Amino acid sequence: MQHLRIVAPANLVDQVLTTLQDNVATTNIVRIPNAATRPAGDLVLCDVAREGVSILLDQLQKLGVQHEGSISVDDIGIEISDAAKRASRAAPGHAADAVVWQEIEQRTHEETSLSPTFLTFMSVATMIGAIGVVFDEPILIVGAMVVGPDFGPLAALSVGLVRWRRRMIGQSVLALAVGFAVAIAITILFTLLLTALHLMSPADLLRSRPLTDFIWRPNVLSWVVGFLAGIAGLLSLSTAKSGALVGVLISVTTIPAAANAAVAFAYGATEQSVGALIQLVINLAAITLGGVATLIVQRVSQRRRAAQAITGQQDGTV
């Protein structure tokens, strides 16, 4: 269950209450008149089964509550209530599969900010990846994957394409383009510095690297892994299964590919540099496509369940 706190202006409060009462997924509806002062209005509280939240938020936004009032949503850790159980059973679908579109849109939108912190994480991750690539250290490659923040903009890009949010799409593309460009440029300088200090050399990169040379040798499986990672990543975000996201971060070679491209460019290893950049593009495209496909399937499925629930209520079967 999730908890909604709504500040409803006087001209909309009756419509808000009617909307909540007509929704089978709501319970514990409370109205406190004139409780809010900025913005002014009545405070309306209710609990909603997670699988019904997105539909309810759509209805409230169509009323225009967000313009003159506000809507906030919080998770409920524990709720002991038979009424809440009935609301959960009446809501279409299953809580574990429910997608709150407004939630993932807001969460991913925050990841598109091209901030100094984002650029720092991108650069640090790529530099760690560079050391891992040169010295054939898979542990450092995994560390670079986890540190890299690039999955946030990729997820936002997928959401933006499915929900057709042009601003989100533009911000995501900009964050990825500038982020990787800055990270690669800094890593090139980092490589030259370590070379000048005799801590690494072109020979280290060009020798046999059986554990990490896959990074600059793209193949069909690179696309498959990226596509599957996109599916798993968006599922973890959209269904609040955040534990699975760590596995996604260490399954794709975006940051390591950028690192390999940077080191290879610094050392004039054209074949490796081109191969790594191709690997990077393949993974970025595959992850985005996997995420888009996942969100489309979820949206179609959720709309179908909602339509079935409405039909069932009209027929008196729910």
Side-chain angles (χ1 to χ4, degrees):
M1 299 292 291
Q2 294 193 299
H3 181 69
L4 261 65
R5 184 175 68 252
I6 305 164
V7 174
N11 60 316
L12 292 177
V13 66
D14 290 337
Q15 296 178 65
V16 168
L17 289 170
T18 299
T19 299
L20 297 180
Q21 291 165 350
D22 289 346
N23 193 307
V24 296
T26 62
T27 188
N28 299 331
I29 301 172
V30 177
R31 175 187 181 183
I32 306 176
N34 302 315
T37 58
R38 188 193 299 174
D42 292 1
L43 178 62
V44 181
L45 309 172
C46 73
D47 297 338
V48 190
R50 179 177 173 84
E51 49 269 47
V53 171
S54 189
I55 296 172
L56 181 57
L57 290 178
D58 281 339
Q59 293 173 331
L60 293 173
Q61 287 178 288
K62 287 179 181 178
L63 292 177
V65 175
Q66 72 276 17
H67 299 307
E68 300 180 58
S70 69
I71 308 167
S72 63
V73 184
D74 297 307
D75 290 326
I76 297 176
I78 299 175
E79 181 161 4
I80 304 172
S81 166
D82 288 343
K85 291 179 181 178
R86 288 192 294 270
S88 184
R89 286 195 296 266
H94 303 281
D97 299 328
V99 179
V100 181
W101 293 100
Q102 295 81 358
E103 177 186 37
I104 63 170
E105 188 172 324
Q106 184 164 323
R107 286 175 61 187
T108 55
H109 182 73
E110 294 170 354
E111 299 294 330
T112 64
S113 175
L114 189 58
S115 65
T117 300
F118 174 79
L119 294 176
T120 300
F121 270 115
M122 287 289 290
S123 301
V124 169
T126 307
M127 287 187 283
I128 293 173
I131 298 174
V133 164
V134 170
F135 294 105
D136 202 32
E137 289 288 348
I139 293 177
L140 294 180
I141 296 299
V142 171
M145 291 174 175
V146 175
V147 173
D150 55 310
F151 185 77
L154 284 169
L157 179 58
S158 298
V159 174
L161 289 170
V162 173
R163 301 276 286 179
W164 195 239
R165 302 291 189 260
R166 295 182 181 180
R167 184 178 179 183
M168 184 181 291
I169 294 171
Q171 290 178 330
S172 301
V173 172
L174 180 64
L176 289 169
V178 175
F180 276 110
V182 169
I184 289 174
I186 290 177
T187 302
I188 290 173
L189 297 176
F190 177 70
T191 300
L192 296 175
L193 174 62
L194 294 184
T195 303
L197 295 174
H198 304 291
L199 296 176
M200 67 169 62
S201 68
D204 295 319
L205 179 71
L206 298 176
R207 66 184 173 85
S208 175
R209 294 184 287 118
L211 299 180
T212 58
D213 69 350
F214 70 93
I215 292 172
W216 65 275
R217 298 181 187 274
N219 53 37
V220 175
L221 289 179
S222 300
W223 175 271
V224 173
V225 171
F227 184 79
L228 294 176
I231 294 175
L234 266 296
L235 275 176
S236 70
L237 287 175
S238 61
T239 58
K241 303 291 184 182
S242 58
L245 190 55
V246 175
V248 173
L249 297 178
I250 62 176
S251 66
V252 292
T253 56
T254 51
I255 291 292
N260 204 145
V263 176
F265 183 86
Y267 288 153
T270 304
E271 183 182 3
Q272 284 202 34
S273 183
V274 172
L277 288 175
I278 293 174
Q279 178 80 274
L280 175 61
V281 172
I282 287 174
N283 276 278
L284 292 176
I287 292 170
T288 303
L289 184 59
V292 167
T294 301
L295 293 174
I296 289 175
V297 170
Q298 288 178 310
R299 185 167 67 172
V300 171
S301 177
Q302 191 170 41
R303 285 180 175 178
R304 184 177 299 171
R305 289 196 301 267
Q308 290 174 345
I310 292 173
T311 301
Q313 292 174 39
Q314 293 174 343
D315 295 340
T317 59
V318 176

